[in-house]
C-alpha cells in the first residue's frame, strides 16, 4: 500500500507541474502589448468630453459656493478664521495651505474648461475623432 500512495503523489505532482509548464509556454506564445500608444486617443477623448465638462462644471460650482457648501473656498476660509480666533495656529497653518491649493484649482479648471470647449468643437468637425 505505501508504494501505491507514493505513486499517486508522484503522478499528481507530475501532472500539476506539466499543466503549469503548459500554461507558462502558452502565455509566452502570446505577444505582449508594446506599451507605446499608436494614436492620440482622439475618439476616446471625444466620447468622454461631455462627462469631463459636466465634472468640471460641478467642481467649479462647489468651489465657488457659499460657506454652507462642503468643499467650497468660502467654507474653508471660514474654518481658517475660526482656527485663528481660537488660537489654534497649527490648525490654521494646515487649513491655510489647503485653502491656497483649493484657490489655485479655480484657474486651472477654468483653463481646462476652455481647452475642452475647443476639443468639443474639433470633435464636432472631425466625426468625433474618427477622421483627420
Amino acid at each position: 500500500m505505501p508504494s501505491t500512495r507514493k505513486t499517486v503523489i508522484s503522478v499528481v505532482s507530475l501532472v500539476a507541474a506539466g499543466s503549469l509548464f503548459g500554461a507558462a509556454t502558452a502565455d509566452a506564445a502570446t505577444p505582449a502589448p508594446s506599451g507605446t500608444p499608436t494614436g492620440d486617443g482622439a475618439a476616446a477623448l471625444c466620447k468622454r468630453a461631455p462627462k469631463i465638462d459636466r465634472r468640471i462644471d460641478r467642481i467649479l460650482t462647489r468651489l465657488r459656493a457659499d460657506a454652507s457648501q462642503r468643499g467650497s473656498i468660502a467654507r474653508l476660509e471660514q474654518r481658517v478664521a475660526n482656527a485663528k480666533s481660537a488660537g489654534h495656529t497649527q490648525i490654521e497653518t494646515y487649513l491655510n495651505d489647503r485653502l491656497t491649493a483649493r484657490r489655485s484649482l479655480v484657474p486651472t479648471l477654468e483653463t481646462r474648461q476652455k481647452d475642452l470647449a475647443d476639443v468639443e468643437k474639433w470633435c464636432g468637425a472631425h466625426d468625433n475623432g474618427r477622421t483627420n
Side-chain angles (χ1 to χ4, degrees), residues 57-68:
D57 282 340
R58 189 175 64 240
I59 293 169
L60 284 172
T61 300
R62 181 175 57 236
L63 288 172
R64 294 175 179 151
D66 62 3
S68 65

Side-chain angles (χ1 to χ4, degrees), residues 39-129:
D40 62 357
L45 183 57
C46 288
K47 182 179 178 182
R48 292 211 24 87
K51 289 181 181 181
I52 295 169
D53 192 32
R54 284 191 301 271
R55 184 175 183 184
I56 291 173
D57 282 340
R58 189 175 64 240
I59 293 169
L60 284 172
T61 300
R62 181 175 57 236
L63 288 172
R64 294 175 179 151
D66 62 3
S68 65
Q69 173 66 41
R70 293 181 74 191
S72 70
I73 292 172
R75 184 179 181 104
L76 193 50
E77 288 171 341
Q78 183 62 48
R79 290 179 65 196
V80 169
N82 292 347
K84 185 175 184 174
S85 66
H88 302 151
T89 56
Q90 290 84 3
I91 304 298
E92 178 190 359
T93 303
Y94 174 77
L95 292 176
N96 218 1
D97 290 344
R98 285 182 57 196
L99 181 60
T100 301
R102 195 167 293 176
R103 282 183 179 147
S104 72
L105 279 176
V106 174
T108 301
L109 290 173
E110 288 171 342
T111 302
R112 285 186 187 173
Q113 195 172 39
K114 181 188 158 298
D115 292 344
L116 190 62
D118 293 341
V119 167
E120 287 177 318
K121 286 179 191 173
W122 183 90
C123 290
H126 293 90
D127 192 26
N128 287 324

Side-chain angles (χ1 to χ4, degrees), residues 7-18:
T7 305
V8 169
I9 292 173
S10 297
V11 169
V12 169
S13 298
L14 287 172
V15 169

